[in-house]
Amino acid sequence: MTVSTSRRALLRGGAPLAVDRQPPWTDSTFIDTCIRCGDCIDACPESILVKGDGGFPQVTFASDGCTLCGECVSACPEPVFDLNREAFEWRARIESTCLALNNIQCQSCQDSCETDAIRFRPTLGRVPQPEVAIDDCTGCGACTSVCPQDAIALEKPDDGTQQQTSP
Ligand code: SF4
Ligand code: SF4
Ligand code: SF4
């Protein structure tokens, strides 16, 4: 599965990009166990859970990231969530449209990352260059909506495919 956000779509008043993303701590049994009651959507303090295809909850990072607060888990009346699972399998990847990678000063994503997974490396003759420490990235998506270039994709490290943001 691949993920992305569409901050620009949000800013221009359009609907956030509908993406096929399951809520945290869910797996392939999600479709079978979720009764589409919407309780997790109502419980999410960040409003990043929305009703998606077929009425199933989806996570969207168009305006914010997941704080991993677990409110969705507590609210769910069915065995949909399992905190023993990894919350998200995808990880952040910075794409070539990143301003800093094009030698334009920008570190907007750094402060949004709670785990300090995005680091800027001093580089001779260039502005500091961003890197994602994959082992420290939780896939929370907080960095994606702050990027002015929509240059942060979320993808499974072993997937190799991704869904690019829409202009
Ligand atoms: S863990 Fe918290 S912020 Fe993340 S989707 Fe669940 S309720 Fe929302
Ligand atoms: S916020 Fe976006 S453009 Fe700026 S450094 Fe981070 S990835 Fe690059
Ligand atoms: S997705 Fe990863 S890099 Fe981005 S803010 Fe969350 S932990 Fe940091």
Side-chain angles (χ1 to χ4, degrees), residues 9-165:
L10 193 72
L11 290 177
R12 69 169 184 259
L17 185 68
V19 289
D20 178 19
R21 298 178 231 185
Q22 292 178 198
W25 300 293
T26 61
D27 69 3
S28 58
T29 62
F30 171 66
I31 298 291
D32 296 327
T33 52
C34 175
I35 59 171
R36 292 174 276 182
C37 64
D39 286 359
C40 60
I41 296 174
D42 295 339
C44 178
E46 308 302 327
S47 300
I48 63 164
L49 292 179
V50 297
K51 204 171 266 290
D53 289 348
F56 289 98
Q58 289 184 336
V59 66
T60 174
F61 299 131
S63 59
D64 223 327
C66 174
T67 61
L68 305 176
C69 68
E71 294 292 331
C72 50
V73 182
S74 301
C76 179
E78 300 293 327
V80 176
F81 299 85
D82 184 347
L83 290 173
N84 291 316
R85 299 180 190 124
E86 195 174 36
F88 299 112
E89 293 184 20
W90 50 70
R91 297 290 178 263
R93 187 172 67 80
I94 297 177
E95 307 206 286
S96 61
T97 52
C98 161
L99 293 174
L101 291 182
N102 288 281
N103 213 23
I104 298 169
Q105 184 67 41
C106 179
Q107 299 190 4
S108 297
C109 51
Q110 187 172 36
D111 289 343
S112 67
C113 182
E114 293 272 329
T115 60
D116 294 328
I118 302 178
R119 296 157 196 174
F120 282 79
R121 176 172 38 88
T123 306
L124 197 62
R126 296 180 64 79
V127 303
Q129 299 291 288
E131 293 173 341
V132 178
I134 292 296
D135 289 347
D136 292 332
C137 175
T138 62
C140 75
C143 54
T144 61
S145 64
V146 301
C147 176
Q149 293 290 98
D150 279 347
I152 303 179
L154 295 169
E155 65 183 23
K156 290 184 182 179
D158 60 351
D159 190 341
T161 58
Q162 65 168 22
Q163 180 177 329
Q164 177 55 9
T165 53

